[in-house]
Amino acid sequence: MTLPALMNAIVITQPGGPEVLQPAEVGVPVPGPGEVLIRVHAVGVNRPDCLQRAGHYAVPPDASPLPGLEVAGEIVACGEGAPRWRLGDRVVALTHGGGYAEFCRADARHCLPWPAGMNAEEAASLPETCFTVQYNLFTRAGLRAGETCLIHGGSSGIGTTAIQLAKAAGATVITTVGSEEKRVYCLGLGANHAINYREGDWAEGVKELTPKGVNVVLDMVAGPYVAKNLDLLAADGRCALIAFLKGPKAEVNFAPVLTKRLTITGSTLRPQSRDQKAAIAATVEESVWPLITSGRYRTSIYRTFALHEASAAHALMESSAHMGKIMLRVSG
Amino acid sequence: MTLPALMNAIVITQPGGPEVLQPAEVGVPVPGPGEVLIRVHAVGVNRPDCLQRAGHYAVPPDASPLPGLEVAGEIVACGEGAPRWRLGDRVVALTHGGGYAEFCRADARHCLPWPAGMNAEEAASLPETCFTVQYNLFTRAGLRAGETCLIHGGSSGIGTTAIQLAKAAGATVITTVGSEEKRVYCLGLGANHAINYREGDWAEGVKELTPKGVNVVLDMVAGPYVAKNLDLLAADGRCALIAFLKGPKAEVNFAPVLTKRLTITGSTLRPQSRDQKAAIAATVEESVWPLITSGRYRTSIYRTFALHEASAAHALMESSAHMGKIMLRVSG
């Protein structure tokens, strides 16, 4: 296969609303040492893409300026020292931006085998949520079998993944949602309890369910949720923060951190080193990939758009009307 | 030895200032299963004693109402199932209150051998600071050789212990202090750098010393220190909170927790279970006791009062004029 010099992609013409995403022809990237080039079949839409488009997310200097953090596709070129993969291999990959395009570079260690039986958008939907949930819920927050975890935003891409992985690990899952439809949806994914935060104080609801408190909280809301999370945690409880839908600032009383020996932690994937992401990829392949094979983890695609409809995909994500992942189909 | 029915002790007559501490005759406690009775030679004075005296510290229901959380003395009675110790053994013990007295109960597993060559007040000064520092700096915050740690309140009992244990573990130590005299004192204990917070912004001083940030912070100040701690931490940094000299409430921007993958944690000894304290005691015996034997950890006694001078000891602690531990001599 001869690679073209130019490819179709979606560029951010200027910081702004969904309409600033525009189709353009750009150069095909060249894989560096340890990297592969992937012909993209599908790419996931994620909140950081929206933040980047709006100008609220500083793109790392070594990253593609194009949005798109996870893809599925086939390998069409290998840089030096990328021994695991051969041309034609079908993979899913966590990418350093650049996914909204026909071709995308990725670190060879950030690629995992395309799971059998999954179509392109299902495969491409895996990396961001699986890497984020596996790392935060288990590696950082240390969720164990027999524990109870509270997962905010249960119907989001992260939420649907977290519910299933926590259940598969033997935990009891409580989740918060914004509508009755989402509540039913999360229970269908295996959540033990789902609380509609529009129908009263969700924290009171959690307290009624777990008088002793929850062991782990996975929170992408922050703001006023932080103090409530600390209040709800049991002794030796852990809270992992992964986003700030209600802002990063909070007035917090740290007394329960001492008296209950709590741990507040969190992370984002993007600023982590290549080696760190490779370590997470290895954990995901070991822990999550078998759950896909055995059918205990299923990805939830809410809607798939064509690549040139990226604006509409962003508008949908920012409406929060979706349940599960929003995807772009590129080719294949 | 026949045990008396009554003993001299210091009681809290009502919540208030140091003057509410008064000598009184009270009943000699009886050791329960797994407990020993210690004839107290010396007892340490700690901040929680002052909080309890002032009525700001709820005494656990199973604890002695008398203050005093650490003692050195000799074992004069053993309850059922306390096999390690024999009558006459000299021990130091973390106690569940009750140390301001001639006799005190302790869980047999919370006793450690009285180190050779130490007098009573030196031996009694060990449990609170060694248990607190070992557990928070190493077990919770995971300080490792080659890392840099910031220790607030370097001249306090906790601070002097933390400086020495961190240095012995191979860490670089930066500490904050409130006077030039305390600065020199902490450097003498082995701190690599000591910053007088009365001579400018201590956080700027730390930044100049470690452009990449510190790996661990041990903080008993909290309040406005919390946000500065988070700002100063390096990627994957950990902050352990152990007290709130400036209050438990803080306005915090949690953004660096995500971008730098920080961990905020903390603990207090008192509410922990007997088993948890026994586990900490085992770690202290394994990690700290050899440092005492080899002379790499020395306790710092600032002043020793007689038991009936407990009021004066509390007044000194609340003046913060001391450097190192304040002790009460009981007998022996």
Side-chain angles (χ1 to χ4, degrees), chain B residues 17 29 60 73 166 170 224 271 299:
Chain B
T299 184

Side-chain angles (χ1 to χ4, degrees), chain A residues 135 140 236 241-244 248-255 257-258 261-268 272 276, chain B residues 135 140 226 236 241-244 248-255 257-258 261-268 272 276:
Chain A
Y135 181 62
R140 292 199 77 83
D236 298 301
L241 299 168
I242 55 169
F244 300 122
K249 289 184 185 167
E251 166 88 17
V252 175
N253 183 335
F254 285 94
V257 172
L258 268 71
R261 299 175 299 284
L262 305 182
T263 297
I264 307 167
T265 187
S267 70
T268 50
Q272 297 193 50
Q276 285 169 315
Chain B
Y135 181 62
R140 292 199 78 84
V226 176
D236 297 301
L241 300 168
I242 54 170
F244 300 123
K249 289 184 185 167
E251 165 88 18
V252 175
N253 183 333
F254 285 94
V257 172
L258 266 72
R261 299 175 300 284
L262 305 183
T263 298
I264 307 168
T265 187
S267 71
T268 51
Q272 298 192 50
Q276 286 169 313

Side-chain angles (χ1 to χ4, degrees), chain A residues 3 13 44 49 78 80 102 112 130 153 176 211 271 273 294-295 303 322 325 327-328:
Chain A
L3 292 173
T13 51
D49 305 351
C78 290
E80 280 179 57
E102 290 181 289
L112 295 175
C130 290
T176 60
S273 72
S294 66
R303 186 158 163 200
H322 59 296
K325 295 281 294 188
M327 308 300 298
L328 302 176

Side-chain angles (χ1 to χ4, degrees), chain B residues 57-83:
Chain B
Y57 197 106
V59 177
D62 59 338
S64 166
L66 303 178
L69 298 168
E70 55 181 352
V71 302
E74 61 190 278
I75 290 180
V76 293
C78 289
E80 279 180 57

Side-chain angles (χ1 to χ4, degrees), chain B:
Chain B
M1 176 184 179
T2 307
L3 292 173
L6 294 176
M7 65 179 183
N8 294 307
I10 296 292
V11 300
I12 299 167
T13 52
Q14 58 179 318
E19 71 284 355
V20 305
L21 296 175
Q22 293 291 337
E25 272 203 332
V26 302
V28 170
V30 176
E35 293 184 339
V36 295
L37 185 68
I38 299 167
R39 188 164 75 84
V40 178
H41 291 203
V43 53
V45 177
N46 290 287
R47 293 262 175 200
D49 304 351
C50 299
L51 293 174
Q52 179 182 345
R53 186 210 72 220
H56 301 144
Y57 197 106
V59 177
D62 59 338
S64 166
L66 303 178
L69 298 168
E70 55 181 352
V71 302
E74 61 190 278
I75 290 180
V76 293
C78 289
E80 279 180 57
R84 182 177 180 181
W85 308 108
R86 291 184 306 178
L87 299 189
D89 279 351
R90 284 156 49 99
V91 296
V92 305
L94 186 78
T95 62
H96 204 32
Y100 289 22
E102 290 182 289
F103 296 92
C104 180
R105 293 190 312 166
D107 187 305
R109 299 168 300 166
H110 304 169
C111 300
L112 296 175
W114 181 322
M118 278 194 170
N119 65 26
E121 42 270 28
E122 288 169 342
S125 75
L126 299 171
E128 270 287 324
T129 63
C130 290
F131 280 52
T132 299
V133 171
Q134 175 68 30
Y135 181 62
N136 285 283
L137 207 50
F138 299 104
T139 305
R140 292 199 78 84
L143 180 65
R144 293 184 294 268
E147 292 192 321
T148 297
C149 73
L150 170 63
I151 295 163
H152 291 301
S155 64
S156 66
I158 293 287
T160 56
T161 297
I163 290 169
Q164 294 177 80
L165 296 190
K167 284 296 292 181
T172 298
V173 173
I174 303 171
T175 189
T176 60
V177 295
S179 73
E180 176 63 16
E181 185 187 12
K182 290 178 175 177
R183 205 181 69 79
V184 172
Y185 175 72
C186 288
L187 293 173
L189 288 171
N192 298 78
H193 310 278
I195 297 172
N196 184 344
Y197 59 77
R198 297 189 201 278
E199 292 184 349
D201 184 348
W202 59 265
E204 286 303 316
V206 176
K207 263 185 201 165
E208 281 171 27
L209 291 168
T210 61
K212 287 185 179 176
V214 300
N215 304 104
V216 168
V217 179
L218 184 70
D219 183 20
M220 66 289 283
V221 183
Y225 276 40
V226 176
K228 290 186 174 186
N229 292 338
L230 300 187
D231 184 42
L232 289 169
L233 281 169
D236 297 301
R238 294 85 70 194
C239 176
L241 300 168
I242 54 170
F244 300 123
L245 289 181
K246 286 190 184 288
K249 289 184 185 167
E251 165 88 18
V252 175
N253 183 333
F254 285 94
V257 172
L258 266 72
T259 55
K260 296 194 287 187
R261 299 175 300 284
L262 305 183
T263 298
I264 307 168
T265 187
S267 71
T268 51
L269 275 176
R270 194 122 194 227
Q272 298 192 50
S273 72
R274 284 185 169 212
D275 287 351
Q276 286 169 313
K277 289 174 185 171
I280 299 173
T283 319
V284 168
E285 187 167 7
E286 184 186 326
S287 301
V288 183
W289 253 231
L291 299 176
I292 295 173
T293 307
S294 66
R296 297 179 72 192
Y297 171 67
R298 287 170 300 161
T299 184
S300 305
I301 309 295
Y302 182 68
R303 187 159 163 199
T304 301
F305 295 84
L307 179 60
H308 68 267
E309 298 172 310
S311 295
H314 275 220
L316 173 59
M317 173 154 280
E318 290 174 335
S319 78
S320 287
H322 60 295
M323 298 187 294
K325 296 282 294 190
I326 300 168
M327 308 300 298
L328 302 175
R329 185 77 183 211
V330 182
S331 71

